[in-house]
Every structure is written in structure tokens, then in C-alpha cells.
Amino acid sequence: MEGVGLCANNKQKQNQMLPNKMRGEFTRNQRKDSECLSEAPDLEFEYSDADNWAVELSELYSYTEGPEFLLNRKCFEEDFHTHMPDQKWTELDSVQHRAHAMRLLDGLDVIGRERRLKVARAILYMTQGTFGKCSSELEVQHWMRYNVFLLLDVGAFTALVELLNMEIDNSAACSSAVRKPAISLADSTDLRVLLNIMYLMLETIQREEPTDSSEWRTIRETFKSELGSPLYNNETVSVMLFGMVTKFCSGHAPHFPMKKVLLLLWKTILFTLGGFEELQCSKVSKRAALGLPQLPEDSICVVRSMRAASPPASASDLIEQQQRRARREQKALIKQDNLDAFNEKDPYKADDTREDEEENDDNDNSLEAEPFPLERDEVMPPPIPHPPTERVCFPKGLPWAPKVREKDIENFLESSRSKFIGYTLGNDTDTVVGLPRPIHESIKTLKQHKYVSIAEVQIAKEEEYEKTPLSGGEEELELCATELLYQGILPSLPQYMIALLKILLAAAPTSKAKTDSINILADVLPEEMPTTVLQSMKLGVDVNRHKEIIVKAISAILLLLLKHFKLNHVYQFEYMAQHLVFANCIPLILKFFNQNIMSYITAKNSISALDFPHCVVHELPELTAESLEAGDNNQFCWRNLFSCINLLRILNKLTKWKHSRTMMLVVFKSAPILKRALKVKQAMMQLYVLKLLKVQTKYLGRQWRKSNMKTMSAIYQKVRHRLNDDWAYGNDLDARPWDFQAEECALRANIERFNSRRYDKNQSNPEFLPVDNCLQSVLGERIDLPEDFQMNYDLWLEREVFSKPISWEELLQ
């Protein structure tokens, strides 16, 4: 705040040094800028699992890959016309389609690399909708769906996974790429073709349509279960793709097309585990199975119905506000009779009324989606005075039902008993003898809003297993897709998290190019660098778009994994979250937001004429420098806003109920960074920013809270209330110095015990293993002895039995 205040003082001095005319112009421009900011409409953004199908298809390809569309078509038509001369793909029947698809699939088994690549390109053309014979984008999408389900039915995906595994292990390509000074698009051709086919198949299959036949629905469900199971080389496809990510980050395979790998990994996780609505349904059913009460509301519906708030006032607005208050205070010093006379003669009496209303608005500090009271003076006519009775308005209900944890009730009772009785009863939350009547009412209210989470039940069960390892019985482990994925990535999860964050750092717009950073542009840079200004501009747009898509994919992967692991078992979530924290995920996300976030969200790094499938159906217009600069007409960039919300949600998940990590937010000075993000007028993004500000307000000091009352009011209006949570003041026990290292170490010990108990069967405690005490069964048990022992049995008897004296008396005693 000192930095903001210093900046404001400098601006004020510069303003005073200007001549009167220039000073007026300067102030008008400032007001105009703030008016534009406050009058900016809410962003019409609907958060979902992914963007619409056409956009998700187009983001797979970089603009540099444009010429390959015709190459794929050429490879398909050469092969097709060889076997079916004078025929069109769109005119064949289903039997002929299937026969040709089987023929292409057989071609993938050939030894020759060039021949195999041609067949793969022909299959890629099929998954692209055989666009050569289509006249519209809808027709391309129709044939894409038909061809993809056909290829899946004949077993193409399994063959592609095997080929991808072969390419991953291709040591010749890896060593060649490592030796190259500059890697380009040509180094990853084989991998790109395979990943393109797999992504298009997956993206097409997971989109359900009302017109899908029952056969297609069956194929989809079968594919979903196979994709989430370790059927390919005893590991899931997701684990194989995670392996590609770590191999790329280690520098052993710099030619891997990382954007395509990450997009395929994201869509695989999304399809096999389910999106956010499936998560909500799973949460409801799991709570019902555990006998917990229903959720107080559907969080997805609540967030979608929320309105955005106006951004907090800037430094110049605050200075102007102080000046107006000073003028009002001077007027208050005038004698009352003189003031009355002045008001009678003054033709602009309404202005004073307006100023009084402004003062009321300033004290209200509400952040509704309307212009600031300070700015309203300049753009709106004076309001017509109304009788006081007509101005009464009732407050709207808060969007979230308040919640209370069992621990909060225990703490409240403990402090009440200590105060009124002088002793405590531990975890007893029922005995209220000796406590005053108002305390009884408080406890009743707290219990009405008590919320028991699935995580609390899972932690309690885990503690029970640790206390009673023998009598606790065997845990019933449901082998769902989430559990299988966790088992697959558990051995190398720390490396996977570090690799994803490395790529995220390289793709962030705030990161500077360093010699030791990884090169994520291997699948976007052409073999020959651009020679004209237009080509350079096009490549610049392509590179920025490429980075934005990588950020979008990684943010979605991390958020989906965190949410699914938390629902499956809280310690799976904590294991992943702790390794993200250890890999500096919190400062990395804050660094990402330490930029002009409005510029990032409204960036126009796309050329709609070059997007698939538009570019293969319509003739390409002539691109000019002006058209590239202008970009599209969208109000905002969907993928960038999606990425920002995902990163904020990840930050919330990492810091929730963790005082040590909340202090990291304070230490890294996140408050001004997050406050700038409130300028984005989108309700969901503002909600998660306000949540992050709420958890640290008690640590920021009274002066910060006093200077940011609009933000504090917005937190009160939009964020869920936790009864007994003293978030707005600094007198909570949690605000005192905390042993942060001990907190993380205790959590880590719990996670390690959980992982070893559930997944490390070899490390079971020998003291807890059952012992057979029956002499007959022990002696009657057949033991297979090794051959060399059987051959030398006589020697062993002589050496170990006959030649050693045995004292039978001592043995019997």
C-alpha cells in the first residue's frame, strides 16, 4: 500500500505543476478512463469443462501446420483411388467404409517408416472429416463423427497407442533431436500425426449428441472404461502421456510436441474421470452413501447466477474522494443560518443532495455491478429527491448458506466453559450445564449449520485403521478410474508435478526467456524462419496462441486431478497438493497474475480464417498486417479467462485451511496482485479472488482493511460465511505465529502412512502378520527346497546336525 500511496502522491504533485488548462484536461482524461472501466459490461462468459467443439478442434493445430491438411488429403486419395477407382468416400455404403478402414489399419503394421507415415496421414484425413468432398463445416463435423466411430470400432485406437509407444522409445529420433541446435516442426512429424489422430478421436467421441445411435453409445462407454484401465502395456494412456511430459522436461526428448501431448492428456483425464458436473453428481451420491446430509446448494448453479462487482477504486479515485470530503467538511463549518440562506438562494441545491447521497454510498462501500459513486457525479444527471420512505430497500439474501465445522463448535464450547465455569470437557459438544442461555442459543444455531465434509469422514476412518490395524478389517477399495489413475502415477507423481509446473512457467506471459528454460515451441516453429513482416506477425500470433493453449491445458489438468483425488480420498489430494507446494506452485501462479490481466484476457492471438475446419472448407482470404493486428471481434479470449479461473481455483485448493500456505500468500505480497485481478468483471473469477483475499485479511493489518473497505464488503456479499470465523479482524488465534514446518511435516507423515498402508504391500509390519501356532500344520506344510540343497542334503545333515553336540536338557528347559 505504501507503493500505491507514493505513486498517488507523485501523480498529485505532477497534476499541481501543470497549467490550469492542462490540469483540467488531465483530470478529465483520468475520469474518462475510470468511467470506461466502471461502465465496461460484464463478460458474458460461461464456465464449463471445455470450449465448444469447433474451437477445441482448431486449437490442436498451430497455424504453421496449415500446409499439412492438403498433404493428408493427398495421401488418403492416392490410397483410396488405388483400391476404389472412380468412387467417392461420401457415396460408399457402410460395408465398403469398414473394408477400407481395415485395409488402412493393416497398413500401419508395415516395417517401412515412410509407408507407415503415409497410411497414418490417410487415417488422419479420415478423422478430419474427409473434408475434400464437403461444402460446409457442419458436413465436415458430420463425417468426422462417422469416421471416428468407424475407426474406433475396427480397433484403430489400440494400434495407435502401440505406434505411439514405439515412437516414444525411438532412441534414434531422441538422440538426433538432442544434437540439433534448433528444433522445428519437421522433427516431430510422426509423433504429431499420431497424436492428432488420437486427440481428434477422443474429442469427437466424448461429445454426446442426441442423435447418436445406441451402437455408438455402447462404443463410447466401452472405450471410456478401456481408456481408464491399465490395458496398454499395463499402464493407462494418461500415465504414458505423463511419462512423455517428464521425458521432455528432462531434456532427453526435446522434439516431443508438448502442446498436443498436454491437450491429449487433459482430454483423456476429462473423459475417463468426468467433468465438473459429473464431479458434483459423484459428490452428492458419495455423501448419500456415507449417510451425510445433502449439500446446502448446488455450487455450479450459485456461481452461474452471481453478478460481477465493479472493480475497487484506483489511487486517483481515492485522492479525488478525499478532496470532496475535505470540501464537505469546510461547508459544515459555516453557521447553520447562513447555510439555510445559501440553500434558499442557490439554484443548484440538488447538487448538495447528490453529494450527501455520494457520502452515504461511500460509507456503504458496496461493490455492486454499477458505476462508482465518484464517477456517477460526472455521467448522470442529478437525481430527483424522494421522500425517505421510498428509499428504503431490503437487502438481498446471501448466495451461500453458512457452514460450521465440528472443530469450530468444540472451540466455541471450550472457550465458553473456560470463561463461565472454569474447566473444559474436551470434545464433548452436548453438555451445556452451567452455561448462560445465550450460549445455548448460539450452540443451537451453530449445530443447525454444521457441515461434515467427505474428507473429515475419510480422515476419521484412516485414523481408525491406524489405531486398530488387526480388528479394523480390510478396506473395501473401489477400483474406479480415479483410483486406477492414482495407483498409476503414484511412484512418479512428484516428477510429474515438477514437469507440469516447468512447462507452465515457460508458457507464462510474465516469464522471460532464459538459456536454461525448456523450449516449448518445437511444434510451432517452421523449418525456415519468416522473411517478411507479415510472416513474422503471423508466427508471433501463432507462438502467443501456442503458449496460451499450453497454459489452458495444464491449468485444467491440475484442477481436474485435485478435485477428483479429493473426492476419491483426501490424502490422495493432499499428496498431490503438497508436491505442488514444494515445487513452488503458489509463487508461480502469483507470478502469472502479476501482469496486466485485462490485456491477457482480452488478447486477440487468433486468426479465425486459419482455424480448422474453416480453413479447409472456405477459400483463404488475403491476410494483411492490419487484419492480423485487428484480430477477431470477441469481447474476451475464452481460453485465457478459463485458464485464469482454473489457476485461481488451484490456488484456493492449495491454501484452504492451511495456515502455513496462507502465510505464503502474505509473504509473497499477493494482496495487490489479486486486487488488480478484480478489475475483470466476471463473477466467477472475482469470487475466487475474493476467497483468496478473505483468508489473508487478518494478517494484512488494520490499515489495509481500512483502505480496502469496498473489497471487504464484496467479500461479505459474495463469499460463503463460516460462523465463528473472525476473518475480518486480526484477533484470532490463527493470526499468531505458527509453527508452519511442523504443520506440513505432520500432514506429510499422515500421507506417507496412508500410501504405505494402502499401496505398499511389501512394507507391511511383520508384527501384525498372522502366526500359525499349530505344530501339525507347520510340520505338514510342504516347502520346496532348491535343487542344489537337495543334491547336497547328506553333507548338510553331517555338518549342521550330526557333527554338532545337542544338549537336550537345555533345549527342553
Side-chain angles (χ1 to χ4, degrees):
M1 288 304 299
E2 291 175 7
V4 174
L6 184 63
C7 177
N9 289 335
N10 289 338
K11 284 185 179 179
Q12 193 173 3
K13 287 176 184 176
Q14 290 169 2
N15 197 2
Q16 289 170 356
M17 291 168 64
L18 293 169
N20 290 335
K21 187 176 178 182
M22 288 178 67
R23 193 186 310 162
E25 188 69 28
F26 180 69
T27 309
R28 277 196 297 276
N29 288 339
Q30 277 188 320
R31 286 176 183 161
K32 195 180 293 182
D33 291 343
S34 66
E35 282 165 23
C36 292
L37 182 63
S38 67
E39 290 176 355
D42 290 6
L43 301 182
E44 295 179 7
F45 171 84
E46 186 172 339
Y47 186 85
S48 62
D49 298 322
D51 208 341
N52 65 64
W53 189 31
V55 175
E56 294 296 335
L57 294 178
S58 69
E59 288 183 351
L60 174 65
Y61 307 102
S62 61
Y63 296 141
T64 321
E65 292 179 88
E68 295 190 12
F69 289 121
L70 293 178
L71 183 58
N72 300 337
R73 179 181 175 180
K74 182 184 174 186
C75 291
F76 175 84
E77 288 180 347
E78 282 179 0
D79 184 85
F80 182 72
H81 292 310
T82 303
H83 297 95
M84 296 183 180
D86 303 325
Q87 295 278 351
K88 287 184 180 178
W89 176 260
T90 53
E91 295 173 355
L92 300 181
D93 58 27
S94 58
V95 176
Q96 291 171 309
H97 283 151
R98 189 179 181 87
H100 188 69
M102 294 288 287
R103 194 181 302 115
L104 287 175
L105 211 57
D106 292 339
L108 289 178
D109 292 334
V110 298
I111 299 172
R113 193 178 190 82
E114 290 296 324
R115 171 63 187 155
R116 199 166 61 236
L117 179 60
K118 280 189 174 183
V119 173
R121 283 196 180 280
I123 294 173
L124 176 55
Y125 178 71
M126 282 182 67
T127 58
Q128 287 170 343
T130 50
F131 53 80
K133 306 300 179 186
C134 299
S135 57
S136 67
E137 293 180 34
L138 285 174
E139 198 176 347
V140 171
Q141 292 178 4
H142 163 77
W143 282 105
M144 275 186 73
R145 290 184 69 77
Y146 176 83
N147 293 342
V148 162
F149 276 100
L150 172 66
L151 288 167
L152 189 63
D153 194 29
V154 298
F157 199 86
T158 309
L160 291 166
V161 171
E162 291 172 1
L163 277 177
L164 184 61
N165 259 318
M166 195 171 70
E167 288 297 330
I168 293 168
D169 298 332
N170 187 351
S171 56
C174 293
S175 57
S176 170
V178 168
R179 289 194 300 269
K180 275 194 171 184
I183 301 167
S184 68
L185 208 62
D187 296 299
S188 58
T189 304
D190 292 6
L191 278 167
R192 281 188 297 106
V193 170
L194 295 174
L195 290 167
N196 282 346
I197 301 170
M198 292 170 72
Y199 179 86
L200 290 173
M201 289 181 73
L202 187 55
E203 180 61 26
T204 305
I205 288 162
Q206 73 173 352
R207 301 270 174 171
E208 292 188 39
E209 294 287 341
T211 55
D212 288 351
S213 63
S214 58
E215 185 186 355
W216 281 12
R217 293 178 194 277
T218 307
I219 290 172
R220 179 186 291 113
E221 289 305 314
T222 307
F223 178 57
K224 184 176 180 177
S225 61
E226 287 178 356
L227 199 63
S229 305
L231 299 178
Y232 311 99
N233 278 356
N234 291 325
E235 63 180 16
T236 62
V237 174
S238 301
V239 175
M240 182 183 73
L241 295 170
F242 267 122
M244 290 185 75
V245 174
T246 49
K247 193 171 181 181
F248 171 79
C249 287
S250 65
H252 297 310
H255 65 298
F256 280 1
M258 206 30 56
K259 184 188 84 173
K260 296 181 190 298
V261 173
L262 291 168
L263 283 173
L264 182 58
L265 176 58
W266 168 32
K267 292 306 169 71
T268 305
I269 293 170
L270 180 61
F271 184 49
T272 53
L273 305 191
F276 299 116
E277 291 190 0
E278 287 94 332
L279 261 167
Q280 188 73 7
C281 295
S282 301
K283 190 174 182 180
V284 170
S285 59
K286 195 157 192 174
R287 286 186 68 84
L290 292 170
L292 297 174
Q294 290 183 351
L295 292 168
E297 69 276 299
D298 186 340
S299 56
I300 296 173
C301 295
V302 173
V303 171
R304 282 178 180 166
S305 63
M306 289 178 78
R307 293 168 57 212
S310 295
S314 62
S316 59
D317 292 332
L318 293 173
I319 292 165
E320 192 175 348
Q321 182 179 342
Q322 288 171 2
Q323 290 172 350
R324 290 187 178 206
R325 282 181 178 167
R327 287 199 298 271
R328 285 197 293 270
E329 286 168 5
Q330 288 174 2
K331 287 182 182 180
L333 297 174
I334 304 173
K335 290 182 181 179
Q336 186 62 40
D337 54 348
N338 292 343
L339 183 60
D340 293 339
F342 173 75
N343 282 340
E344 285 173 10
K345 296 173 186 176
D346 188 11
Y348 303 107
K349 187 175 178 179
D351 291 348
D352 297 326
T353 310
R354 187 178 63 215
E355 287 188 353
D356 291 338
E357 288 177 1
E358 284 174 357
E359 188 169 9
N360 292 336
D361 287 338
D362 291 341
N363 293 333
D364 183 34
N365 287 313
S366 60
L367 268 166
E368 288 299 322
E370 59 182 15
F372 291 141
L374 295 173
E375 295 146 2
R376 196 168 56 200
D377 180 42
E378 305 299 330
V379 295
M380 291 181 68
I384 300 168
H386 293 287
T389 52
E390 292 185 19
R391 295 184 60 192
V392 174
C393 58
F394 295 98
K396 298 174 185 175
L398 295 171
W400 305 99
K403 287 181 180 178
V404 183
R405 294 181 299 170
E406 183 76 23
K407 181 184 172 186
D408 298 329
I409 301 175
E410 290 171 8
N411 291 341
F412 176 73
L413 267 170
E414 193 172 338
S415 62
S416 300
R417 286 171 184 148
S418 300
K419 182 178 179 181
F420 293 104
I421 304 174
Y423 65 89
T424 60
L425 296 175
N427 296 335
D428 184 357
T429 58
D430 297 321
T431 306
V432 291
V433 177
L435 295 175
R437 185 73 183 172
I439 299 294
H440 292 205
E441 295 293 331
S442 300
I443 294 164
K444 183 181 175 183
T445 305
L446 289 172
K447 286 186 174 179
Q448 280 175 353
H449 294 92
K450 187 173 83 167
Y451 176 78
V452 181
S453 67
I454 295 171
E456 289 175 279
V457 176
Q458 290 170 340
I459 289 170
K461 282 186 178 178
E462 195 59 33
E463 288 172 355
E464 193 66 29
Y465 282 127
E466 288 296 329
K467 285 179 187 174
T468 56
L470 295 176
S471 60
E474 284 291 322
E475 182 182 10
E476 292 181 11
L477 198 61
E478 183 188 355
L479 290 177
C480 59
T482 309
E483 183 64 37
L484 291 171
L485 178 60
Y486 183 78
Q487 291 180 13
I489 67 174
L490 177 61
S492 305
L493 188 139
Q495 290 87 335
Y496 296 154
M497 296 304 108
I498 291 168
L500 287 175
L501 292 182
K502 271 187 178 180
I503 299 170
L504 181 61
L505 176 62
T510 50
S511 61
K512 296 174 183 175
K514 294 180 181 176
T515 51
D516 58 341
S517 64
I518 51 178
N519 177 22
I520 56 170
L521 305 177
D523 53 333
V524 71
L525 295 177
E527 283 187 276
E528 296 179 2
M529 293 308 286
T531 53
T532 65
V533 174
L534 186 64
Q535 288 175 346
S536 300
M537 287 181 70
K538 180 183 165 187
L539 183 59
V541 169
D542 207 1
V543 167
N544 290 335
R545 174 177 174 267
H546 181 83
K547 289 181 176 180
E548 290 171 2
I549 295 167
I550 287 176
V551 173
K552 172 186 173 183
I554 292 177
S555 67
I557 289 166
L558 292 176
L559 182 60
L560 276 172
L561 289 178
L562 285 171
K563 286 189 76 69
H564 278 285
F565 286 159
K566 188 169 186 181
L567 185 61
N568 196 51
H569 199 289
V570 65
Y571 281 136
Q572 295 177 350
F573 159 80
E574 294 291 5
Y575 185 54
M576 178 178 167
Q578 196 164 60
H579 279 292
L580 284 172
V581 173
F582 292 161
N584 285 332
C585 183
I586 292 175
L588 171 55
I589 294 175
L590 292 175
K591 181 180 179 180
F592 180 90
F593 279 97
N594 193 17
Q595 57 169 316
N596 186 340
I597 207 71
M598 278 301 295
S599 298
Y600 184 71
I601 283 170
T602 55
K604 298 183 184 298
N605 291 314
S606 59
I607 308 167
S608 55
L610 300 180
D611 285 340
F612 178 85
H614 183 277
C615 63
V616 296
V617 177
H618 306 283
E619 285 194 15
L620 294 181
E622 186 179 349
L623 295 175
T624 61
E626 290 76 16
S627 64
L628 290 182
E629 277 184 7
D632 52 30
N633 296 322
N634 293 333
Q635 185 190 18
F636 58 90
C637 178
W638 196 96
R639 64 172 167 266
N640 290 355
L641 190 47
F642 176 76
S643 303
C644 289
I645 292 172
N646 286 346
L647 291 172
L648 287 168
R649 293 182 76 180
I650 292 165
L651 206 52
N652 268 289
K653 291 222 162 287
L654 296 182
T655 54
K656 190 175 182 181
W657 304 120
K658 304 287 190 302
H659 302 294
S660 57
R661 299 174 192 176
T662 303
M663 285 307 297
M664 287 179 75
L665 293 177
V666 179
V667 169
F668 289 121
K669 294 182 172 59
S670 66
I673 295 171
L674 293 169
K675 202 179 159 199
R676 281 200 299 272
L678 286 174
K679 290 181 179 178
V680 181
K681 293 190 71 175
Q682 204 284 323
M684 190 173 186
M685 182 166 170
Q686 287 183 346
L687 172 67
Y688 290 108
V689 172
L690 292 170
K691 278 186 174 186
L692 289 166
L693 286 170
K694 179 184 175 181
V695 295
Q696 53 179 317
T697 47
K698 66 179 76 167
Y699 305 106
L700 295 173
R702 184 179 296 175
Q703 186 57 44
W704 187 91
R705 296 194 291 271
K706 189 177 175 183
S707 306
N708 293 275
M709 285 309 295
K710 284 185 180 290
T711 306
M712 298 286 283
S713 180
I715 292 171
Y716 179 84
Q717 290 174 18
K718 297 186 181 299
V719 182
R720 187 192 301 278
H721 288 271
R722 294 273 177 176
L723 302 181
N724 282 14
D725 181 13
D726 209 5
W727 64 271
Y729 307 96
N731 54 5
D732 195 358
L733 288 173
D734 294 338
R736 296 176 186 176
W738 197 272
D739 190 356
F740 304 129
Q741 195 171 2
E743 187 185 17
E744 290 290 349
C745 288
L747 178 61
R748 190 171 190 176
N750 289 336
I751 294 166
E752 285 176 354
R753 279 197 294 270
F754 164 76
N755 282 333
S756 63
R757 180 190 67 78
R758 197 188 251 201
Y759 304 111
D760 196 358
K761 299 300 180 186
N762 298 326
Q763 295 293 327
S764 55
N765 194 328
E767 293 181 9
F768 296 148
L769 293 175
V771 177
D772 190 354
N773 294 318
C774 179
L775 188 65
Q776 285 184 332
S777 66
V778 170
L779 293 175
E781 185 180 349
R782 179 175 177 81
I783 299 173
D784 293 326
L785 300 171
E787 288 185 15
D788 57 342
F789 181 82
Q790 292 180 25
M791 290 170 63
N792 300 305
Y793 181 61
D794 296 336
L795 293 173
W796 181 85
L797 276 176
E798 185 64 37
R799 187 178 71 244
E800 298 292 336
V801 181
F802 300 144
S803 63
K804 287 192 175 181
I806 298 173
S807 176
W808 295 101
E809 290 80 4
E810 290 181 14
L811 186 65
L812 291 171
Q813 288 175 0

